[in-house]
């Protein structure tokens, strides 16, 4: 059973209709929106040009980019980091995941930091906990990919079936969840706090180098990665 997860002041959707409206607004309003995060926060964290203001000082950029417990995919030595705030019940997360995977495979120089941010439903929390527990058997990516490939709003049965279908050891998964549940919950709470500090409104949200976006398609990801490289190079 999923542990209780306090959402604090997070603006959780009250109904399924509200959740759909939130994601629809993001898709329509932010599809091509790439704006520098708080005046160069990510650049400052990377030791590149740009200094954080007093307001930005409230945000721990290093914790967002380099949380030791957050799963990392792609090229760990990549020259562009993408931080992905995702929910396994978010249909737009599932759509964009396919496009991002294609770009990452072609590019080869992108570091991807996964932020499991379960804000849509209680089963989102359950899915995030199991995916993170899979880390302890080296299976986070398999669990993540399987959950992202499962369409529709997830039930606990679908979540378990997807993870089992990914070839993970379910007995060990449960043992790791029992043994590391507090650590997993602490990571989810940190992610929630980080999303709040950035003022994020919904999923998916991607921090791409110094930019923030909800881009959903292949072309959009290619463009923002290119823009990030130019920005980091001072162009």
């Amino acid at each position: 059973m999923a542990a209780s997860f306090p959402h604090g002041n997070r603006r959780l959707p009250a109904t399924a209709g509200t959740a759909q409206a939130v994601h629809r607004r993001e898709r329509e309003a932010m599809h091509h929106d790439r704006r520098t995060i708080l005046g160069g926060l990510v650049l400052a964290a990377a030791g590149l040009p740009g200094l954080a203001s007093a307001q930005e000082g409230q945000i721990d950029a290093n914790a967002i980019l380099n949380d030791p417990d957050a799963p990392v995919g792609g090229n760990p030595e990549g020259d562009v980091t993408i931080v992905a705030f995702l929910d396994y019940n978010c249909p737009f997360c599932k759509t964009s995941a396919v496009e991002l995977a294609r770009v990452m495979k072609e590019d080869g120089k992108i570091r991807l930091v996964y932020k499991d941010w379960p804000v849509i439903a209680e089963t989102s929390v359950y899915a995030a906990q199991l995916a993170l527990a899979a880390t302890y058997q080296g299976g986070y990516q398999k669990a993540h990919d399987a959950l992202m490939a499962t369409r529709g709003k997830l039930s606990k049965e679908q979540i378990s079936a997807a993870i089992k279908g990914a070839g993970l050891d379910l007995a060990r998964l449960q043992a790791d969840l029992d043994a590391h549940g507090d650590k997993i919950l602490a990571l989810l709470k940190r992610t929630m706090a980080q999303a709040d500090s950035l003022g994020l409104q919904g999923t998916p949200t991607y921090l791409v180098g110094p930019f923030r976006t909800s881009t959903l398609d292949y072309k959009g990801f290619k463009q923002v990665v290119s823009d990030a490289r130019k920005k980091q190079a001072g162009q």
Side-chain angles (χ1 to χ4, degrees):
M1 175 177 291
S4 173
F5 184 62
H7 294 285
N9 294 323
R10 167 58 45 200
R11 292 171 290 281
L12 289 173
T15 65
T18 303
Q20 292 169 357
V22 168
H23 293 297
R24 184 173 62 252
R25 285 197 300 273
E26 282 214 337
R27 179 181 61 179
E28 294 172 351
M30 299 181 67
H31 187 70
H32 297 293
D33 174 28
R34 301 188 304 277
R35 54 186 181 276
T36 301
I37 301 173
L38 300 178
L41 166 65
V42 176
L43 291 176
L48 296 169
L51 296 174
S53 68
Q55 181 183 9
E56 291 160 2
Q58 315 257 340
I59 299 171
D60 189 341
N62 185 62
I64 293 172
L65 294 167
N66 300 301
D67 189 315
D69 296 324
V72 174
N75 182 347
E77 304 301 323
D79 62 346
V80 171
T81 292
I82 297 179
V83 183
F85 288 83
L86 306 168
D87 186 306
Y88 292 116
N89 274 309
C90 168
F92 305 120
C93 294
K94 295 176 181 182
T95 298
S96 63
V98 176
E99 304 297 328
L100 178 56
R102 178 185 171 192
V103 170
M104 290 180 61
K105 183 178 180 179
E106 292 178 358
D107 187 286
K109 296 185 291 182
I110 297 172
R111 173 178 177 261
L112 178 61
V113 179
Y114 290 106
K115 296 290 185 178
D116 287 279
W117 186 33
V119 294
I120 293 177
E122 285 302 317
T123 55
S124 301
V125 180
Y126 182 70
Q129 288 175 310
L130 292 188
L132 291 170
T135 302
Y136 294 93
Q137 58 179 284
Y140 175 84
Q141 191 69 57
K142 289 182 178 179
H144 173 87
D145 291 345
L147 291 169
M148 281 295 174
T150 305
R151 298 302 173 186
K153 187 174 181 181
L154 302 178
S155 66
K156 288 186 177 181
E157 291 73 22
Q158 286 176 305
I159 292 166
S160 297
I163 289 178
K164 181 178 180 180
L168 295 170
D169 182 335
L170 294 185
R172 179 175 174 183
L173 186 72
Q174 185 59 56
D176 286 333
L177 188 58
D178 292 341
H180 305 288
D182 289 346
K183 188 174 183 180
I184 291 169
L185 189 58
L187 174 59
L188 291 174
K189 288 180 178 179
R190 289 201 301 278
T191 297
M192 183 67 69
Q194 291 164 7
D196 281 337
S197 73
L198 290 167
L200 304 189
Q201 297 296 314
T203 55
T205 296
Y206 298 98
L207 313 184
V208 186
F211 301 109
R212 166 173 153 183
T213 181
S214 287
T215 300
L216 300 174
D217 59 23
Y218 169 82
K219 185 176 180 180
F221 276 124
K222 289 277 287 185
Q223 185 63 57
V224 74
V225 168
S226 175
D227 290 348
R229 284 199 172 105
K230 290 177 182 179
K231 186 73 172 179
Q232 291 173 175
Q235 298 179 19

